[in-house]
Amino acid sequence: MRKILNRKFYNRPTLAVARELLGKLIVREAGGKRLVGRIVETEAYNGPEDLASHASRGRTARTEVMFGQAGLAYIYFIYGMYHCFNIITEEEGYPAAVLIRAVEPIEGMEVMAKNRNLKPPLPPLLRGAGRGLPSLIKGVKGDFGLTNGPGKFCQAFQLDKGLNGHDLTQGRKLWLEDRPVSPSACRGGGETIKKAAVVAAKRIGVDYAGAYKDKHWRFYLKGNEWVSKK
Protein backbone atom coordinates (compact mmCIF):
# COMPACT_ATOMS: atom_id res chain seq x y z
CA MET A 1 0.00 0.00 0.00
CA ARG A 2 1.48 3.31 -1.07
CA LYS A 3 1.86 6.18 1.40
CA ILE A 4 2.42 9.48 -0.41
CA LEU A 5 4.52 11.96 1.55
CA ASN A 6 2.35 14.90 2.54
CA ARG A 7 3.12 18.58 3.01
CA LYS A 8 3.65 18.13 6.74
CA PHE A 9 6.64 15.89 6.00
CA TYR A 10 8.32 18.59 3.89
CA ASN A 11 7.32 21.54 6.09
CA ARG A 12 10.07 20.87 8.64
CA PRO A 13 13.73 21.84 9.15
CA THR A 14 15.60 21.25 5.92
CA LEU A 15 18.41 19.15 7.40
CA ALA A 16 15.90 16.78 8.97
CA VAL A 17 14.02 16.42 5.69
CA ALA A 18 17.27 15.81 3.77
CA ARG A 19 18.20 12.96 6.12
CA GLU A 20 14.74 11.42 6.23
CA LEU A 21 14.30 11.44 2.46
CA LEU A 22 16.91 8.68 2.32
CA GLY A 23 15.16 5.40 1.67
CA LYS A 24 12.00 7.06 0.37
CA LEU A 25 10.74 6.18 -3.10
CA ILE A 26 10.32 8.67 -5.92
CA VAL A 27 7.69 7.74 -8.49
CA ARG A 28 7.35 9.16 -12.00
CA GLU A 29 4.48 8.41 -14.37
CA ALA A 30 4.74 9.62 -17.97
CA GLY A 31 3.63 8.26 -21.33
CA GLY A 32 1.91 5.32 -19.68
CA LYS A 33 5.19 4.25 -18.06
CA ARG A 34 6.03 4.06 -14.36
CA LEU A 35 9.51 4.69 -13.01
CA VAL A 36 10.50 4.12 -9.38
CA GLY A 37 13.75 4.76 -7.53
CA ARG A 38 14.86 4.72 -3.90
CA ILE A 39 16.58 7.92 -2.77
CA VAL A 40 20.13 7.22 -1.60
CA GLU A 41 21.79 10.67 -1.62
CA THR A 42 20.57 14.21 -0.88
CA GLU A 43 21.95 17.71 -0.27
CA ALA A 44 20.34 20.42 1.89
CA TYR A 45 20.27 24.09 0.83
CA ASN A 46 19.15 26.00 3.87
CA GLY A 47 17.88 29.55 3.54
CA PRO A 48 19.11 32.88 2.16
CA GLU A 49 22.28 32.92 4.27
CA ASP A 50 23.52 29.66 2.74
CA LEU A 51 25.94 30.96 0.10
CA ALA A 52 25.71 27.67 -1.80
CA SER A 53 21.97 28.19 -2.31
CA HIS A 54 20.37 30.01 -5.23
CA ALA A 55 18.29 31.83 -2.60
CA SER A 56 21.39 33.71 -1.41
CA ARG A 57 21.10 35.82 -4.57
CA GLY A 58 17.62 37.01 -3.62
CA ARG A 59 14.14 36.47 -4.92
CA THR A 60 14.27 36.18 -8.71
CA ALA A 61 12.18 34.64 -11.46
CA ARG A 62 14.39 31.56 -11.20
CA THR A 63 14.18 31.20 -7.43
CA GLU A 64 10.53 32.22 -6.96
CA VAL A 65 9.41 28.65 -6.37
CA MET A 66 11.90 28.35 -3.49
CA PHE A 67 9.80 30.87 -1.56
CA GLY A 68 6.66 28.81 -2.11
CA GLN A 69 5.04 26.14 0.02
CA ALA A 70 6.81 22.99 1.12
CA GLY A 71 6.43 19.99 -1.17
CA LEU A 72 6.85 21.79 -4.48
CA ALA A 73 9.43 20.70 -7.05
CA TYR A 74 12.25 23.09 -7.92
CA ILE A 75 13.88 22.06 -11.19
CA TYR A 76 16.55 24.09 -12.94
CA PHE A 77 18.93 23.72 -15.88
CA ILE A 78 22.67 23.77 -15.22
CA TYR A 79 25.83 23.93 -17.35
CA GLY A 80 23.61 24.10 -20.43
CA MET A 81 23.33 20.32 -20.22
CA TYR A 82 21.61 18.94 -17.12
CA HIS A 83 18.53 19.38 -14.99
CA CYS A 84 18.58 19.18 -11.20
CA PHE A 85 15.57 18.19 -9.08
CA ASN A 86 14.96 19.74 -5.66
CA ILE A 87 12.12 19.65 -3.14
CA ILE A 88 11.03 22.81 -1.31
CA THR A 89 11.05 22.58 2.49
CA GLU A 90 10.02 24.62 5.54
CA GLU A 91 7.46 27.44 5.89
CA GLU A 92 6.31 29.40 2.86
CA GLY A 93 8.49 32.47 2.41
CA TYR A 94 11.65 30.80 3.73
CA PRO A 95 13.70 29.67 0.71
CA ALA A 96 15.10 26.20 1.39
CA ALA A 97 15.26 22.97 -0.56
CA VAL A 98 16.73 19.49 -0.77
CA LEU A 99 18.55 18.36 -3.92
CA ILE A 100 18.10 14.72 -4.87
CA ARG A 101 21.58 13.67 -5.94
CA ALA A 102 21.14 9.96 -6.59
CA VAL A 103 18.60 7.16 -6.51
CA GLU A 104 18.76 3.40 -6.72
CA PRO A 105 16.57 2.26 -9.65
CA ILE A 106 13.76 -0.06 -8.55
CA GLU A 107 11.23 -0.21 -11.38
CA GLY A 108 11.30 0.78 -15.06
CA MET A 109 15.04 0.45 -15.68
CA GLU A 110 14.47 -0.40 -19.33
CA VAL A 111 12.70 2.94 -19.84
CA MET A 112 15.35 4.77 -17.81
CA ALA A 113 18.08 3.37 -20.06
CA LYS A 114 16.16 4.50 -23.16
CA ASN A 115 15.72 7.96 -21.67
CA ARG A 116 19.47 8.16 -21.12
CA ASN A 117 20.25 6.87 -24.64
CA LEU A 118 22.42 4.14 -23.18
CA LYS A 119 23.79 1.39 -25.40
CA PRO A 120 25.85 -1.83 -24.80
CA PRO A 121 27.98 -2.92 -23.03
CA LEU A 122 26.57 -2.84 -19.50
CA PRO A 123 28.07 -0.27 -17.05
CA PRO A 124 29.45 -1.49 -13.72
CA LEU A 125 26.54 -0.33 -11.53
CA LEU A 126 23.97 -2.00 -13.73
CA ARG A 127 26.05 -5.15 -14.00
CA GLY A 128 25.95 -5.52 -10.23
CA ALA A 129 22.33 -4.51 -9.70
CA GLY A 130 21.13 -8.10 -9.46
CA ARG A 131 17.53 -7.26 -10.29
CA GLY A 132 17.00 -9.26 -13.48
CA LEU A 133 17.61 -6.38 -15.84
CA PRO A 134 15.66 -6.40 -19.11
CA SER A 135 17.55 -7.78 -22.07
CA LEU A 136 17.37 -4.40 -23.82
CA ILE A 137 19.89 -2.87 -21.42
CA LYS A 138 22.16 -5.85 -20.91
CA GLY A 139 25.30 -4.20 -22.18
CA VAL A 140 24.93 -0.44 -21.79
CA LYS A 141 28.16 1.29 -22.81
CA GLY A 142 30.02 3.63 -20.52
CA ASP A 143 31.77 3.88 -17.19
CA PHE A 144 28.72 5.22 -15.38
CA GLY A 145 25.58 4.13 -13.58
CA LEU A 146 22.00 4.75 -14.55
CA THR A 147 20.89 7.21 -11.86
CA ASN A 148 23.96 7.83 -9.67
CA GLY A 149 24.08 11.61 -10.07
CA PRO A 150 21.58 14.50 -10.20
CA GLY A 151 21.77 15.00 -13.97
CA LYS A 152 21.65 11.28 -14.74
CA PHE A 153 18.68 10.84 -12.42
CA CYS A 154 16.72 13.68 -14.04
CA GLN A 155 17.39 12.39 -17.54
CA ALA A 156 16.44 8.83 -16.60
CA PHE A 157 13.19 9.99 -14.96
CA GLN A 158 12.34 12.60 -17.63
CA LEU A 159 12.44 15.50 -15.20
CA ASP A 160 12.77 18.96 -16.70
CA LYS A 161 11.59 22.54 -16.15
CA GLY A 162 8.12 21.58 -17.32
CA LEU A 163 7.67 20.14 -13.80
CA ASN A 164 9.13 23.16 -12.01
CA GLY A 165 6.63 24.12 -9.30
CA HIS A 166 4.83 20.77 -9.49
CA ASP A 167 3.07 19.81 -6.24
CA LEU A 168 4.61 16.54 -5.11
CA THR A 169 1.88 15.87 -2.54
CA GLN A 170 -0.92 15.28 -5.08
CA GLY A 171 0.05 11.79 -6.28
CA ARG A 172 0.11 12.53 -10.00
CA LYS A 173 2.93 12.64 -12.58
CA LEU A 174 5.61 12.82 -9.87
CA TRP A 175 5.50 12.13 -6.13
CA LEU A 176 7.35 10.50 -3.23
CA GLU A 177 6.26 7.49 -1.19
CA ASP A 178 7.18 5.88 2.09
CA ARG A 179 7.50 2.10 2.01
CA PRO A 180 9.21 -0.26 4.42
CA VAL A 181 12.92 -0.68 3.76
CA SER A 182 15.03 -3.70 4.68
CA PRO A 183 15.00 -4.46 8.44
CA SER A 184 18.80 -4.22 8.65
CA ALA A 185 18.62 -0.56 7.63
CA CYS A 186 15.69 0.35 9.86
CA ARG A 187 15.30 1.44 13.43
CA GLY A 188 12.90 -0.90 15.17
CA GLY A 189 11.88 -2.54 11.89
CA GLY A 190 9.95 0.54 10.79
CA GLU A 191 10.40 2.91 7.89
CA THR A 192 13.08 5.21 9.35
CA ILE A 193 16.68 4.66 8.26
CA LYS A 194 19.04 4.02 11.17
CA LYS A 195 21.29 6.96 11.98
CA ALA A 196 24.35 4.71 11.69
CA ALA A 197 23.40 3.91 8.08
CA VAL A 198 23.63 7.60 7.06
CA VAL A 199 26.85 9.42 6.16
CA ALA A 200 27.01 13.23 6.46
CA ALA A 201 29.57 14.88 4.17
CA LYS A 202 30.41 18.15 2.45
CA ARG A 203 28.27 19.15 -0.50
CA ILE A 204 29.71 18.79 -3.99
CA GLY A 205 30.69 21.66 -6.27
CA VAL A 206 30.18 24.53 -3.80
CA ASP A 207 33.75 25.71 -3.23
CA TYR A 208 32.59 29.28 -3.94
CA ALA A 209 30.31 29.33 -0.86
CA GLY A 210 32.75 30.63 1.77
CA ALA A 211 32.28 28.99 5.16
CA TYR A 212 29.20 27.22 3.80
CA LYS A 213 31.33 25.04 1.54
CA ASP A 214 32.39 23.10 4.63
CA LYS A 215 28.90 22.34 5.92
CA HIS A 216 28.24 18.62 6.15
CA TRP A 217 24.84 18.96 4.52
CA ARG A 218 25.11 16.09 2.04
CA PHE A 219 23.63 12.80 3.25
CA TYR A 220 23.90 9.36 1.73
CA LEU A 221 23.33 5.72 2.59
CA LYS A 222 26.55 4.06 3.69
CA GLY A 223 27.70 1.33 1.33
CA ASN A 224 25.08 1.98 -1.35
CA GLU A 225 26.66 1.55 -4.79
CA TRP A 226 24.37 4.15 -6.40
CA VAL A 227 25.73 7.11 -4.41
CA SER A 228 27.35 9.64 -6.76
CA LYS A 229 30.48 10.20 -4.69
CA LYS A 230 31.61 8.42 -1.53
Side-chain angles (χ1 to χ4, degrees):
M1 181 177 179
R2 73 178 188 172
K3 179 183 176 183
I4 297 174
L5 299 186
N6 58 27
R7 207 170 312 283
K8 184 178 180 180
F9 175 88
Y10 302 114
N11 191 10
R12 297 182 298 135
T14 305
L15 297 182
V17 176
R19 279 181 176 272
E20 293 179 30
L21 280 171
L22 296 176
K24 300 297 189 283
L25 299 186
I26 184 162
V27 183
R28 171 77 165 119
E29 289 187 345
K33 304 294 184 180
R34 179 183 175 91
L35 308 175
V36 182
R38 190 179 304 281
I39 297 172
V40 300
E41 183 181 5
T42 64
E43 282 183 348
Y45 289 87
N46 195 10
E49 295 182 356
D50 179 1
L51 297 181
S53 172
H54 292 168
S56 66
R57 302 160 201 169
R59 195 164 185 162
T60 66
R62 184 191 196 191
T63 62
E64 182 65 28
V65 69
M66 292 190 73
F67 292 82
Q69 60 185 339
L72 299 182
Y74 173 41
I75 301 177
Y76 57 86
F77 199 50
I78 190 170
Y79 304 137
M81 298 175 64
Y82 308 112
H83 287 92
C84 289
F85 169 75
N86 304 256
I87 302 171
I88 303 305
T89 57
E90 308 215 23
E91 292 288 342
E92 188 169 357
Y94 182 80
V98 176
L99 169 70
I100 305 303
R101 280 201 58 88
V103 307
E104 177 184 346
I106 301 296
E107 181 181 334
M109 286 179 281
E110 180 174 335
V111 176
M112 294 180 202
K114 282 184 176 180
N115 290 341
R116 291 214 48 223
N117 300 312
L118 300 182
K119 298 177 181 179
L122 192 68
L125 288 188
L126 291 182
R127 189 182 306 127
R131 295 183 179 276
L133 297 174
S135 58
L136 177 70
I137 59 173
K138 286 185 177 177
V140 179
K141 185 175 184 179
D143 185 21
F144 42 69
L146 190 60
T147 52
N148 64 327
K152 297 174 186 178
F153 157 63
C154 282
Q155 186 179 24
F157 274 66
Q158 292 183 298
L159 304 181
D160 57 29
K161 292 178 69 175
L163 286 168
N164 187 42
H166 176 75
D167 191 342
L168 299 167
T169 69
Q170 299 305 302
R172 58 182 181 82
K173 293 185 180 179
L174 178 66
W175 66 88
L176 280 75
E177 296 181 4
D178 203 357
R179 296 184 194 171
V181 296
S182 63
S184 63
C186 294
R187 181 169 58 247
E191 298 179 0
T192 303
I193 300 292
K194 287 181 178 179
K195 186 175 181 180
V198 177
V199 178
K202 293 181 182 180
R203 293 173 292 182
I204 295 173
V206 297
D207 288 343
Y208 56 84
Y212 283 88
K213 70 181 176 63
D214 295 320
K215 299 289 186 182
H216 282 59
W217 289 355
R218 179 167 69 99
F219 306 99
Y220 64 86
L221 293 182
K222 183 184 295 184
N224 189 282
E225 62 183 358
W226 294 89
V227 172
S228 68
K229 184 176 181 181
K230 305 297 192 297

